[in-house]
């Protein structure tokens, strides 16, 4: 790993909370505030199993025995409980810190939820579009995108300024314990996916883990840890999967030239750039030649008119 990548986390891992009372029965939201919804017994077990999987993944490289973990967690009860169960798989020495982060909370649906009204509202959302539809008294996915973007800026400042006091000899892993939509929006922001691509994504399952791993060139990719079949099941298109594979060896700061959703979708009417340049050069040369010819004609005409006027003047004087 290059010196400039030494302080970068080896992995950024997104974990959705375990099964909650609201996942089991949406009627729970009619009497309990969303942030107070608890995990079920099954959800607690799922979180414990997620912790075991995380530990196995992070400790799997024998060449990096001095690994460490830093946790970010949503302030909702179900995510805090999920983190508590995950923590059973880690010793205190391995965890360098944990931060409750309000900006990675669940999408706000608008206080207590009336079951029938929410069912009708979600049908309207499907017609309107999942990203831009704002729940009455709540948020849209676009609103979540804005606060997740702010969180990412803070995360990068923490890394750049070494606020986490990372020992360069330690392999660092960030684990973000959050919610389904928030995790999808996080990936959308990170990989610069479009609204249309976001709309095609599927929600992760309870306690599901999605791993962004640092490639050799300093870029992060989902394709290092996850298979193409997994990415397809998540709703990634073939173009998005190809981009993830490219990122495995891409150098930090590079950009894929044939990134379809930023070029072809907008500029499909354009001709080939090389031919276009040649055409422009030919036009410019032709215009220059025409200007030169016009200039010569003007000069000849001016000289002729001057001579005629001089002869007339001389004749009148004589």
């Amino acid at each position: 790993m290059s010196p400039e990548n030494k302080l970068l986390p080896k992995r950024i891992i997104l974990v959705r909370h375990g099964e909650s009372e609201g996942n089991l029965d949406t009627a729970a939201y009619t009497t309990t505030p969303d942030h107070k919804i608890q995990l079920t017994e099954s959800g607690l077990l799922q979180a414990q199993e997620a912790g075991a999987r995380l530990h196995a993944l992070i400790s799997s490289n024998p060449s990096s025995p001095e690994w460490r973990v830093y946790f970010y967690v949503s302030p909702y009860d179900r995510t805090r409980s999920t983190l508590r169960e995950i923590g059973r798989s880690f010793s205190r020495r391995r965890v360098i810190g944990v931060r409750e982060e309000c900006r990675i909370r669940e999408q706000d649906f608008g206080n207590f939820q009336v079951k029938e009204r929410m069912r009708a509202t979600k049908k309207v959302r499907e017609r309107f579009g999942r990203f831009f539809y704002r729940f009455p008294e709540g948020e849209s996915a676009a609103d979540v995108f804005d606060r997740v973007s702010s969180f990412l800026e803070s995360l990068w400042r923490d890394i750049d300024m070494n606020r986490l006091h990372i020992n360069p000899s330690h392999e660092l892993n960030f684990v973000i314990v959050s919610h389904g939509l928030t995790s999808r929006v996080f990936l959308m922001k990170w990989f610069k996916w479009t609204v249309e691509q976001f709309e095609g994504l599927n929600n992760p399952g309870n306690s599901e883990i999605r791993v962004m791993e640092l490639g050799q060139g300093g870029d992060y990719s989902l394709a290092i840890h996850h298979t193409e079949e997994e990415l397809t099941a998540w709703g990634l298109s073939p173009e998005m999967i190809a981009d993830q594979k490219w990122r495995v060896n891409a150098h930090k700061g590079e950009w894929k030239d044939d990134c379809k959703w930023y070029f072809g979708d907008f500029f499909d009417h354009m001709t080939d750039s090389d031919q276009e340049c040649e055409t422009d050069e030919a036009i410019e040369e032709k215009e220059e030649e025409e200007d030169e010819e016009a200039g010569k004609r003007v000069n000849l005409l001016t000289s002729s008119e001057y001579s005629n006027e001089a002869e007339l003047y001389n004749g009148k004087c004589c």
Side-chain angles (χ1 to χ4, degrees):
M1 184 178 292
S2 64
E4 64 178 13
N5 292 335
K6 279 190 174 181
L7 296 181
L8 292 177
K10 175 66 175 177
R11 301 175 188 88
I12 300 175
I13 305 173
L14 303 173
V15 185
R16 186 188 175 197
H17 60 79
E19 181 188 72
S20 72
E21 294 169 346
N23 296 140
L24 204 60
D25 184 2
T26 55
Y29 296 110
T30 63
T31 57
T32 306
D34 195 356
H35 65 281
K36 289 293 184 183
I37 295 289
Q38 303 296 312
L39 293 182
T40 64
E41 288 298 321
S42 176
L44 291 168
L45 290 174
Q46 289 174 343
Q48 291 175 22
E49 292 169 358
R53 293 198 304 274
L54 283 170
H55 186 279
L57 166 64
I58 295 170
S59 62
S60 61
N61 187 357
S63 63
S64 300
E66 288 302 315
W67 53 268
R68 296 291 186 274
V69 185
Y70 192 94
F71 290 99
Y72 293 92
V73 62
S74 158
Y76 281 34
D77 283 359
R78 56 186 178 274
T79 44
R80 290 169 57 90
S81 295
T82 298
L83 177 57
R84 190 174 296 111
E85 298 306 313
I86 286 173
R88 297 179 186 277
S89 295
F90 295 88
S91 66
R92 181 65 187 84
R93 184 175 72 89
R94 297 292 188 178
V95 181
I96 63 173
V98 59
R99 181 180 301 170
E100 181 179 285
E101 178 51 70
C102 192
R103 290 172 291 183
I104 59 172
R105 68 186 185 276
E106 175 64 290
Q107 179 182 8
D108 291 333
F109 295 104
N111 305 318
F112 292 109
Q113 301 174 25
V114 178
K115 193 171 183 180
E116 294 75 17
R117 185 188 303 166
M118 185 57 66
R119 185 183 298 114
T121 299
K122 288 184 177 180
K123 287 182 179 179
V124 175
R125 179 182 62 172
E126 291 304 312
R127 294 191 354 247
F128 190 89
R130 287 193 297 162
F131 187 75
F132 292 112
Y133 181 80
R134 178 177 284 115
F135 283 87
E137 300 179 344
E139 289 183 304
S140 65
D143 295 324
V144 179
F145 181 93
D146 291 341
R147 55 178 164 85
V148 167
S149 299
S150 172
F151 163 66
L152 272 174
E153 292 172 1
S154 299
L155 184 147
W156 276 115
R157 282 197 298 274
D158 286 348
I159 295 172
D160 291 340
M161 300 179 71
N162 197 18
R163 288 174 177 166
L164 306 181
H165 305 291
I166 304 166
N167 185 330
S169 66
H170 294 169
E171 183 179 272
L172 179 64
N173 298 269
F174 281 170
V175 177
I176 301 172
V177 184
S178 185
H179 307 265
L181 181 135
T182 310
S183 297
R184 283 180 283 147
V185 166
F186 183 98
L187 294 174
M188 175 189 181
K189 169 63 178 175
W190 189 284
F191 293 118
K192 301 179 176 63
W193 291 340
T194 66
V195 172
E196 182 180 358
Q197 289 169 328
F198 169 83
E199 301 257 352
L201 297 176
N202 298 316
N203 218 31
N206 291 120
S207 290
E208 184 176 337
I209 295 169
R210 297 188 174 182
V211 183
M212 299 162 51
E213 189 162 326
L214 189 66
Q216 292 297 317
D219 203 348
Y220 288 89
S221 173
L222 294 165
I224 296 176
H225 180 75
H226 299 286
T227 65
E228 184 171 339
E229 289 72 23
E230 284 181 285
L231 300 181
T232 300
W234 295 354
L236 273 70
S237 67
E239 292 82 8
M240 295 163 73
I241 294 173
D243 178 64
Q244 291 300 316
K245 291 180 177 179
W246 171 78
R247 289 174 182 270
V248 172
N249 297 307
H251 291 282
K252 186 181 177 182
E254 286 183 348
W255 187 246
K256 194 172 183 181
D257 291 336
D258 61 345
C259 190
K260 181 180 182 296
W261 51 91
Y262 283 108
F263 291 94
D265 284 357
F266 294 97
F267 305 124
D268 56 344
H269 60 286
M270 290 184 171
T271 58
D272 182 77
S273 59
D274 290 339
Q275 294 177 1
E276 185 176 331
C277 290
E278 290 173 4
T279 302
D280 288 343
E281 290 175 2
I283 291 172
E284 288 176 6
E285 289 178 3
K286 185 176 180 180
E287 288 176 347
E288 288 176 2
E289 290 176 0
E290 290 176 350
D291 288 343
E292 288 181 9
E293 290 297 324
K296 289 177 181 179
R297 286 196 297 272
V298 169
N299 290 336
L300 288 172
L301 181 59
T302 303
S303 299
S304 174
E305 289 177 346
Y306 177 80
S307 299
N308 291 338
E309 287 180 0
E311 288 177 0
L312 287 170
Y313 178 78
N314 291 335
K316 287 178 180 179
C317 289
C318 295

